[in-house]
Amino acid sequence: CRCCAEGRRHSSILYSILRSEERAVPPAGPAPRGCPCGSRRRVALRSPQVACKAASAVLVKTLRFVQNVPCFQELPLEEQLLLVRSCWAPLLLLGLAQDRVHLETVESAEPSMLQRILTARQQGEQPPPRAPASGRPQHGPHLPSAGDIQAIKGFLAKCWSLDISTKEYAYLKGTVLFNPDLPGLQCTQYIEGLQREAQQALNEHVRLIHRGDEARFAKLNVVLSLLRSINANVVAELFFRPIIGAVNMDDMLLEMLCAKL
């Protein structure tokens, strides 16, 4: 396809665009140990409007960054949307880490299963149904669990402990954005080349700037592996549902992608 034919010409453009971003808190403490059932507690943002506003601003900034990469613009709109749909959540989390957005959460006021059983018995009612086989209780609003939030906080803490630079964030975003393994892509060779170049640029930058830290490149790749463990639905529920309700992220991303941000 035309994209594959022009891949070599645009690879140098990607290198320069990925180097153009700017910005880079103290590392959070280690995850508390306790009963594993604690990780299934429902939690919510302490100040949802503040956090959601910050996340929305980061999402706009992230998509603006994506749109400013000429190599990305060369792709057909269908391919662009496929890539953004698959990576908007990890890109958003990288942006939150880069902008040092802290998450303050509170436990949901929903009573525990034991409390509901005891209350029902006192009132002569039937006890509530048991949780489904998945182990996750049914809720009206799909509040993230404490484990979900801890995964996000752990990712942010890892980024901050590494003191990732502006250029390193840009290369990480390029690696995440250009994922050639998505089903339905046509320009896989072109996209694979761009991802490889982003990784090579990151490696070269690390070797040049962090000469005494031979493990830094591996540590940055651990950041990418942490991203893969975070569910995009959890990110949507946490940052967007409290303000705009049951949002269809595909529709919102398409609208934002086609708009001039």
Side-chain angles (χ1 to χ4, degrees):
C1 67
R2 177 171 61 89
C3 299
C4 296
E6 296 183 352
R8 182 175 301 176
R9 178 169 65 85
H10 290 297
S11 62
S12 60
I13 302 177
L14 170 68
Y15 193 92
S16 61
I17 291 295
L18 289 177
R19 297 172 70 103
S20 66
E21 268 215 345
E22 266 195 69
R23 277 186 209 98
V25 128
R33 293 192 173 188
C35 173
C37 62
S39 66
R40 295 195 292 270
R41 295 192 312 271
R42 303 291 115 179
V43 293
L45 293 171
R46 183 182 296 276
S47 304
Q49 291 191 342
V50 174
C52 294
K53 183 178 180 180
S56 297
V58 170
L59 183 60
V60 170
K61 188 187 304 183
T62 298
L63 291 181
R64 185 182 294 127
F65 163 77
V66 168
Q67 289 178 326
N68 286 335
V69 179
C71 316
F72 181 81
Q73 293 176 345
E74 289 294 331
L75 291 165
L77 180 59
E78 297 80 10
E79 305 261 301
Q80 294 182 26
L81 190 55
L82 268 175
L83 292 174
V84 171
R85 276 174 175 166
S86 74
C87 71
W88 72 267
L91 287 180
L92 174 64
L93 291 173
L94 282 169
L96 292 174
Q98 185 174 4
D99 284 4
R100 301 179 181 247
V101 176
H102 288 266
L103 301 184
E104 292 188 36
T105 56
V106 292
E107 284 192 40
S108 166
E110 180 180 2
S112 68
M113 178 63 71
L114 177 60
Q115 289 173 318
R116 288 191 289 167
I117 291 174
L118 293 176
T119 302
R121 285 180 176 172
Q122 287 176 354
Q123 296 175 352
E125 302 172 358
Q126 289 294 323
R130 298 189 64 178
S134 64
R136 296 177 70 106
Q138 297 293 334
H139 298 270
H142 302 289
L143 292 174
S145 69
D148 294 328
I149 301 301
Q150 190 56 46
I152 294 176
K153 287 185 174 182
F155 164 77
L156 296 175
K158 182 66 174 178
C159 291
W160 297 332
S161 69
L162 290 172
D163 195 21
I164 299 175
S165 70
T166 297
K167 289 183 178 180
E168 288 169 334
Y169 273 117
Y171 297 137
L172 289 171
K173 290 176 186 177
T175 301
V176 169
L177 174 63
F178 295 110
N179 179 6
D181 299 324
L182 297 177
L185 289 176
Q186 301 298 317
C187 304
T188 51
Q189 247 185 320
Y190 175 64
I191 294 170
E192 185 177 12
L194 295 175
Q195 186 185 65
R196 188 186 312 115
E197 185 181 345
Q199 277 277 287
Q200 290 173 347
L202 176 61
N203 194 13
E204 291 172 10
H205 173 79
V206 168
R207 289 170 59 188
L208 178 66
I209 304 300
H210 301 274
R211 297 179 183 272
D213 189 353
E214 297 181 359
R216 185 170 181 82
F217 182 69
K219 293 174 184 175
L220 291 173
N221 276 289
V222 168
V223 167
L224 295 178
S225 67
L226 291 175
L227 275 177
R228 298 186 193 102
S229 68
I230 299 173
N231 192 306
N233 291 331
V234 170
V235 178
E237 293 289 340
L238 184 66
F239 291 110
F240 298 106
R241 179 183 281 272
I243 299 299
I244 54 182
V247 58
N248 185 319
M249 290 304 300
D250 285 354
D251 292 344
M252 190 170 81
L253 291 169
L254 177 60
E255 184 177 344
M256 296 176 72
L257 197 61
C258 295
K260 291 185 177 180
L261 299 173

